[in-house]
Amino acid sequence: AVPRVFAFRDARWAPDPVLEPSAAVRTPQPVPLVIDNGSFQTRAGWACPDPAVPAEPLLRFRSLAARSRGARGGAGAETQVGNDLGSPEPLRWLLRSPFDRNVPVQLELQELLLDHVFQRLGVASQGCVDHPIVLTEAVCNPLYSRQMMSELLFECYQVPKVSYGVDSLYSFYHNRRQNWPCSGLVISSGYQCTHILPVLEGRLDAKNCKRINLGGCQAAVYLQRLLQLKYPGHFAAITLSRMEEILHEHSYIAEDYIEELQKWRSPEYYENNVHKMQLPFSNKLLGSTLTSEEKQERRQQQLRRLQELNARRREEKLQLDQERLDRLLYIQELLEDGQMDQFHKALVELNMDSAEELQSYINKLSLSVEQTKQKILQAEVNIEVDVVDSKPETPDLDTLGSEQSLEDVESINEFEPLFAEEQPEVEKPVAAVQPVFNVAEYHQLFLGTERIRAPEIVFQPSLIGEDQAGIAETMQYVLERYPKEQQAILVQNVFLTGGNTMYPGLKARVQKELLEMRPFRSSFQVHLASSPVLDAWYGARDWAVEYMTRDEGWITRKDYEEKGGEYLKEHCASNVYVPIRLPKQAPRTAEALAPSRALASSTGNPCEQA
């Protein structure tokens, strides 16, 4: 079999350009702006029926922000968002996300993401965003999160109206066909969570929704842990970005996990199905193919670098010592001119006790300045002379004998092992010193059972120690909460959506699980979204175009001011609005107030009572 070797793409993110919006998004009235606010990726675009405006998301970027700490030179902190980061790995420990699981909780980071969206889409209105906003939110989104998001949109951006909907329900309605029923069981698996959502008669049954706290993020971390334990020598090269690439392009869901593991035990099956991921490496080994002339040239270059570095240090030391010496000489002139008050004040600032101590410091600094000047002159002479011997002479120590010279020799000696030369008589031909192992193969990651182990966690969370039920058990639990007639209706349209459902074999696995849990000879159908990642945005756009001129589903600024930020107008793809019910306080009647007044009069001022 031909070995399957794949190179990591390590693709860098291209910064998003600032787009010029078409005139159709402003006239005759501002069209809605659709934002799929996902925990993995943010997608934004216009909901405009005009064919001149693309019916697809114009912006797609990771929902991440990084704030640098600022340079030492005084430059302020710089904040980068999404694709402007270039690559997440160098900034991995600075990355911040506004999401906790799939719920936005860090609203200052959410504001950075929205600023990025409005700026890059070319929203030109001054001081506000005068486009209606269609925004996705989590299933059964906490009221506090919606309240903070509404406050951000209405107070900060002054939007005219906003509509909230569930991303997986938007995807469900976008994929509706003529013969599809309005009821179904939606399985949505994303970056942080997996949801089982029953839809009855076109509306979400929120009381029976279930969530599994596992998604693509946990699968990537699990795969990284597996490969780092398997290849400890490549620990740093096994990054999360590369693990996500493996999950997206090389992983699959086993229809029968135990049976698939038995197949991988066969050496022949392993050889035919293993994927070898090539890590970047250098084919040039130190000292293996260098001739004596190349070694000599490299050594000379290193010595020149050391000489330039030491010369720079001497000049800096000379400048500092000269400034200190000038200061001390100025103080000595004060003594000679008879200005005793200023002289004693200067001595106190220098933490000195007498003029003799000052003179001693002046003598030491003068000697140090002269020695540094001689060193600089000597170094300039040495640089002009080409090094001929393989081991050049070290700088003269006995002339000055200072600590700086000893440091120069030590820094040169540190590089002796790097350029240790072999004797010409024992030098071997290049072919003889080639390594006995394949360097490229040493830098390869062999993906065997790891291809199925990482995605399997959504069906078996116990693989990573999570005490949760998998998709199959949760699906069966949700179905059993309904009568058999409604169960039969739900399983006729089991719909898979979300970025974590794009593994090959997932649809067949769900069909197998349903076959095991459903009654004998009962029917069911499983459908996969046409585009599991983008269908949520497409569905939100379809809804916005259809309901653009209606009041249904839109929260206006008047609604926000009257009913609070947590208020939600329901529509076909929204959550169910559950208002906050505060217990009403009993009215304080006259009979209830009488005892308190009597108590207040009895505990009045003693003088007044007397």
Side-chain angles (χ1 to χ4, degrees):
V2 180
R4 301 185 178 187
V5 181
F6 303 88
F8 284 108
R9 290 185 290 108
D10 290 338
R12 290 184 60 84
W13 303 335
D16 296 314
V18 178
L19 303 174
E20 286 293 333
S22 171
V25 305
R26 302 283 308 170
T27 55
Q29 60 183 0
V31 300
L33 175 58
V34 179
I35 303 174
D36 182 9
N37 193 33
S39 60
F40 179 75
Q41 194 178 59
T42 300
R43 307 163 192 92
W46 301 106
C48 184
D50 194 312
V53 180
E56 59 184 17
L58 302 178
L59 281 184
R60 293 176 61 183
F61 59 89
R62 289 288 297 272
S63 303
L64 297 171
R67 180 169 294 160
S68 61
R69 298 174 183 172
R72 291 185 179 180
E78 180 184 6
T79 302
Q80 295 174 313
V81 176
N83 292 331
D84 293 346
L85 295 169
S87 176
E89 292 310 323
L91 304 168
R92 179 62 67 181
W93 304 111
L94 294 175
L95 295 180
R96 296 292 180 267
S97 170
F99 291 88
D100 180 9
R101 293 292 182 182
N102 60 336
V103 177
V105 293
Q106 302 286 343
L107 269 298
E108 63 276 6
L109 296 175
Q110 183 66 59
E111 183 179 352
L112 292 177
L113 299 186
L114 293 177
D115 285 344
H116 184 78
V117 168
F118 298 143
Q119 178 192 3
R120 300 306 167 95
L121 285 181
V123 177
S125 51
Q126 294 292 328
C128 68
V129 176
D130 56 356
H131 292 269
I133 303 294
V134 178
L135 192 70
T136 61
E137 65 177 6
V139 182
C140 302
N141 192 34
L143 295 180
Y144 178 74
S145 177
R146 186 184 304 130
Q147 177 186 357
M148 298 300 293
M149 186 67 73
S150 295
E151 182 178 341
L152 177 64
L153 292 173
F154 283 111
E155 303 292 348
C156 179
Y157 297 107
Q158 306 290 325
V159 299
K161 56 184 179 180
V162 65
S163 176
Y164 298 106
V166 179
D167 50 359
S168 50
L169 295 183
Y170 279 135
S171 177
F172 179 72
Y173 286 105
H174 176 71
N175 284 271
R176 279 187 305 177
R177 299 179 178 90
Q178 295 296 329
N179 56 349
W180 271 32
C182 293
S183 301
L185 191 65
V186 179
I187 301 177
S188 170
S189 185
Y191 188 58
Q192 293 280 2
C193 298
T194 299
H195 291 93
I196 311 294
L197 310 177
V199 178
L200 289 172
E201 301 298 331
R203 288 297 291 127
L204 174 68
D205 185 9
K207 292 183 179 180
N208 292 317
C209 293
K210 294 299 171 186
R211 182 179 75 173
I212 306 169
N213 286 323
L214 291 174
C217 175
Q218 288 75 24
V221 172
Y222 180 47
L223 180 60
Q224 182 186 38
R225 193 192 323 161
L226 287 176
L227 291 180
Q228 284 179 342
L229 288 172
K230 187 176 180 180
Y231 299 99
H234 303 308
F235 193 90
I238 300 174
T239 61
L240 276 176
S241 297
R242 287 174 176 164
M243 297 306 100
E244 290 172 358
E245 183 179 335
I246 290 174
L247 286 174
H248 294 164
E249 301 179 10
H250 303 278
S251 298
Y252 66 97
I253 296 284
E255 187 171 344
D256 189 315
Y257 184 65
I258 302 300
E259 183 181 338
E260 192 74 15
L261 288 180
Q262 293 297 330
K263 291 181 182 178
W264 278 100
R265 294 184 65 181
S266 168
E268 183 179 355
Y269 185 88
Y270 180 88
E271 288 297 328
N272 293 334
N273 293 278
V274 67
H275 283 199
K276 302 175 182 178
M277 302 302 300
Q278 184 67 64
L279 293 170
F281 69 98
S282 175
N283 206 9
K284 200 171 184 181
L285 297 179
L286 281 176
S288 61
T289 58
L290 294 179
T291 62
S292 58
E293 291 79 7
E294 291 174 340
K295 294 175 183 176
Q296 179 69 19
E297 179 63 26
R298 179 178 287 191
R299 182 182 181 84
Q300 290 179 9
Q301 291 177 0
Q302 191 63 46
L303 285 174
R304 289 193 199 100
R305 284 196 215 111
L306 281 174
Q307 288 173 346
E308 293 172 359
L309 178 63
N310 289 330
R312 205 159 45 239
R313 288 177 179 173
R314 290 192 190 101
E315 290 176 357
E316 293 174 356
K317 182 175 182 299
L318 176 62
Q319 182 180 2
L320 183 62
D321 288 348
Q322 188 65 50
E323 292 176 356
R324 293 170 60 191
L325 180 61
D326 293 343
R327 171 67 176 164
L328 295 181
L329 290 175
Y330 171 75
I331 295 174
Q332 192 177 40
E333 289 178 0
L334 294 177
L335 176 63
E336 295 173 357
D337 294 344
Q339 301 179 15
M340 301 304 296
D341 293 340
Q342 297 183 11
F343 173 73
H344 287 299
K345 185 178 180 181
L347 281 184
V348 171
E349 291 178 356
L350 295 174
N351 200 17
M352 293 185 184
D353 297 332
S354 62
E356 291 77 11
E357 187 176 357
L358 175 65
Q359 185 63 44
S360 173
Y361 272 101
I362 291 176
N363 294 338
K364 290 180 181 178
L365 272 179
S366 301
L367 181 61
S368 176
V369 168
E370 289 301 321
Q371 289 178 349
T372 307
K373 288 181 179 179
Q374 292 182 16
K375 283 185 185 180
I376 292 175
L377 292 175
Q378 185 66 28
E380 291 176 354
V381 174
N382 290 340
I383 290 176
E384 294 175 359
V385 179
D386 292 332
V387 180
V388 180
D389 191 7
S390 61
K391 291 189 176 180
E393 296 180 1
T394 57
D396 52 339
L397 302 176
D398 44 357
T399 307
L400 303 173
S402 67
E403 294 180 0
Q404 188 70 24
S405 298
L406 290 173
E407 292 174 2
D408 298 345
V409 178
E410 290 173 358
S411 57
I412 293 174
N413 289 337
E414 287 177 1
F415 292 91
E416 291 285 343
L418 295 179
F419 308 103
E421 299 180 18
E422 299 174 359
Q423 295 300 325
E425 59 270 16
V426 296
E427 191 173 33
K428 298 179 181 179
V430 174
V433 297
Q434 289 297 324
V436 295
F437 62 94
N438 189 343
V439 182
E441 188 172 335
Y442 174 74
H443 288 83
Q444 288 176 0
L445 308 178
F446 285 55
L447 300 179
T449 56
E450 291 83 8
R451 294 177 59 197
I452 62 173
R453 290 176 70 184
E456 183 67 20
I457 65 171
V458 292
F459 288 93
Q460 300 186 56
S462 58
L463 289 175
I464 59 173
E466 290 288 340
D467 187 17
Q468 299 183 48
I471 287 180
E473 294 88 343
T474 308
M475 188 165 47
Q476 184 174 8
Y477 178 80
V478 170
L479 289 173
E480 288 177 350
R481 296 175 70 90
Y482 294 97
K484 291 184 178 181
E485 295 78 12
Q486 287 185 331
Q487 289 185 29
I489 294 174
L490 289 174
V491 297
Q492 289 305 314
N493 189 11
V494 177
F495 179 71
L496 307 176
T497 185
N500 204 41
T501 63
M502 298 179 67
Y503 297 114
L506 178 65
K507 182 178 178 180
R509 176 66 175 271
V510 174
Q511 288 174 336
K512 173 183 173 294
E513 300 289 353
L514 277 171
L515 187 63
E516 293 179 355
M517 73 177 68
R518 295 302 297 156
F520 181 60
R521 288 187 177 178
S522 63
S523 63
F524 57 84
Q525 293 186 25
V526 179
H527 304 279
L528 180 64
S530 56
S531 175
V533 173
L534 296 179
D535 276 356
W537 188 90
Y538 289 137
R541 178 193 177 276
D542 296 343
W543 183 91
V545 170
E546 183 179 352
Y547 288 81
M548 188 185 301
T549 57
R550 305 188 201 174
D551 293 334
E552 181 184 350
W554 293 103
I555 306 168
T556 63
R557 184 171 186 87
K558 182 179 180 182
D559 294 330
Y560 164 74
E561 292 174 349
E562 290 181 358
K563 302 175 183 178
E566 70 277 359
Y567 177 65
L568 173 70
K569 270 192 180 178
E570 297 183 13
H571 56 87
C572 60
S574 73
N575 277 308
V576 177
Y577 177 52
V578 181
I580 299 177
R581 292 186 174 87
L582 298 176
K584 294 183 179 180
Q585 294 183 354
R588 302 185 68 183
T589 60
E591 292 80 2
L593 292 175
S596 60
R597 289 173 181 166
L599 180 63
S601 61
S602 63
T603 57
N605 191 337
C607 298
E608 293 178 359
Q609 292 178 7

